[in-house]
Amino acid sequence: MKFIVSSSHLLKQLQVLGGVINSNNTLPILDNFLFELSENHLTASASDLETTMSAVINVESTDSGSIAINARLLLDTLKTFPDQPLTFKTQGENTVEISSEQGKYDMAFYSGEEFPKAIELPSPTNTEIPAHVLATAISKTIFAAGNDDLRPVMSGVFFQFNSKELTFVATDAHKLVKYTRTDVSADKSAEFIMPKKPLNLLKGILGGADENVVVEYNDTNAKFTFDNVVLVCRLIDGKYPNYEAVIPKENPNKLTVDRASFLNSVKRVSIFSSKTTHQIRLKMAGTELNISAEDLDYANKADERLSCDYQGDDMQIGFNSRFLSEMLNNLNANDVQLEMSLPNRAGILTPIDGTEDGEHITMLVMPVMLNG
């Protein structure tokens, strides 16, 4: 088989697919890209058995066939070329010759038959989501998903679709993010848990897309189709915890503050906090927010004051500064509201502005016990 392709176009597509490939694969064939040629269309695929991603690339050819080429070797070679046409041509049973303006390069290839087949989804349910909405939903939630292998259901993002709205939830039991879109809906109600790896791959490539993503799903797998890309992945098996139960409903103490000032204060003060607990203390009274931290082991201490709008009883509450910083970083608002009830109950962080129509974000952060 023989085809001609633009080096930069091929590199761009393969770099995206390269994110699927693990550094230590159990099956050697998974170290390769699968190339399936059908005249002017080359479908390149990569898989780790759990996730398979493919992209269709336009080439010049009249042939058809399938081969698997070592991904690392091919990517390293493509990175060195200026943009130019490359000719790929198979020689004999196991060599592919690549011709460029500079010279010729021979690489071994394997039969495409050895490559694992992508999972088919029999009679799936499907929903269409605008690409920018899905990209935002992923980036607003994925940072809050857990990393605990003992609780796999919390290591992904929970997708909850119904006829009124789409909801995306992630939690690691210390922080929780619920992202809802009331301007997009699904015909049928459905719930599934998406693993982090395919979501990170999607997040990286959806940003530039301006069309809809077709999401198909059944009990075990999900498939995302847009532009020239198809991603199929296995879902996380299990029941997602009842997240609504942990979001406190009555929160009489409400703090409104400038997000950027609050974030910068938290970052500065946290440098002086204990390296094990990362604990900072918020003290609210009237129009003043006091942020402080202390590391008793090294006698380090910091204290800052911010002006704010606070309605409620004077109170002190402790938070892990890393969680609070992450959440504030992931909001685009100028002002944010932190709602609280008691020092031992979760705080709820919401943006006051900066959201699109139909977009609702709720972030929950668990407090840490204050000393003394």
Side-chain angles (χ1 to χ4, degrees), residues 7-37:
S7 60
S8 58
H9 184 55
L10 182 62
L11 174 63
K12 189 180 167 193
Q13 298 291 347
L14 293 185
Q15 280 178 319
V16 170
L17 299 180
V20 177
I21 299 172
N22 290 333
S23 49
N24 47 352
N25 284 309
T26 43
L27 297 175
I29 192 72
L30 297 176
D31 294 331
N32 296 271
F33 289 124
L34 173 67
F35 281 2
E36 294 171 293
L37 182 65

Side-chain angles (χ1 to χ4, degrees), residues 182-324:
T182 52
D183 55 342
V184 190
S185 61
D187 299 336
K188 289 184 185 169
S189 294
E191 298 182 346
F192 54 91
I193 308 168
M194 278 288 297
K196 262 195 225 174
K197 181 176 175 178
L199 288 178
N200 273 318
L201 290 166
L202 284 170
K203 186 175 92 168
I205 50 177
L206 280 172
D210 54 2
E211 54 183 85
N212 285 354
V213 180
V214 178
V215 188
E216 299 170 74
Y217 40 89
N218 60 16
D219 292 343
T220 50
N221 297 284
K223 180 178 182 180
F224 297 78
T225 309
F226 58 99
D227 279 353
N228 58 339
V229 176
V230 178
L231 183 143
V232 183
C233 70
R234 189 167 300 167
L235 299 172
I236 295 174
D237 188 29
K239 186 161 171 46
Y240 204 73
N242 178 5
Y243 64 88
E244 289 289 0
V246 299
I247 302 176
K249 302 291 179 271
E250 297 292 317
N251 302 294
N253 303 316
K254 292 178 170 44
L255 165 76
T256 306
V257 64
D258 177 82
R259 183 191 69 88
S261 310
F262 189 23
L263 175 59
N264 289 332
S265 280
V266 169
K267 280 182 177 170
R268 266 194 305 274
V269 170
S270 67
I271 297 167
F272 296 84
S273 67
S274 154
K275 297 294 169 271
T276 46
T277 62
H278 305 281
Q279 178 189 302
I280 58 167
R281 180 189 300 249
L282 305 186
K283 189 173 171 184
M284 284 127 319
T287 58
E288 195 171 86
L289 165 64
N290 183 278
I291 306 171
S292 60
E294 193 170 7
D295 186 354
L296 295 168
D297 297 340
Y298 296 99
N300 297 335
K301 196 172 169 185
D303 194 326
E304 286 200 14
R305 283 188 173 79
L306 281 178
S307 58
C308 66
D309 176 17
Y310 180 65
Q311 263 117 28
D313 303 330
D314 293 1
M315 74 179 284
Q316 292 191 50
I317 188 166
F319 288 116
N320 181 316
S321 59
R322 288 190 306 178
F323 300 155
L324 206 50

Side-chain angles (χ1 to χ4, degrees), residues 110-132:
Y110 303 91
S111 161
E113 298 297 312
E114 292 179 40
F115 204 84
K117 296 275 178 281
I119 301 156
E120 293 294 325
L121 275 69
S123 58
T125 311
N126 68 339
T127 300
E128 283 200 26
I129 307 175
H132 76 277

Side-chain angles (χ1 to χ4, degrees), residues 73-148:
L73 186 60
L74 184 56
L75 281 172
D76 286 347
T77 309
L78 290 172
K79 282 176 194 165
T80 63
F81 288 124
D83 186 25
Q84 59 178 284
L86 297 178
T87 304
F88 284 70
K89 188 178 177 187
T90 54
Q91 312 265 26
E93 291 292 300
N94 57 6
T95 308
V96 58
E97 180 189 83
I98 304 171
S99 309
S100 73
E101 289 166 7
Q102 286 79 10
K104 293 186 175 177
Y105 320 88
D106 285 356
M107 289 183 194
F109 74 82
Y110 303 91
S111 161
E113 298 297 312
E114 292 179 40
F115 204 84
K117 296 275 178 281
I119 301 156
E120 293 294 325
L121 275 69
S123 58
T125 311
N126 68 339
T127 300
E128 283 200 26
I129 307 175
H132 76 277
V133 169
L134 186 57
T136 307
I138 294 169
S139 59
K140 289 275 183 263
T141 52
I142 198 164
F143 77 92
N147 295 312
D148 188 350

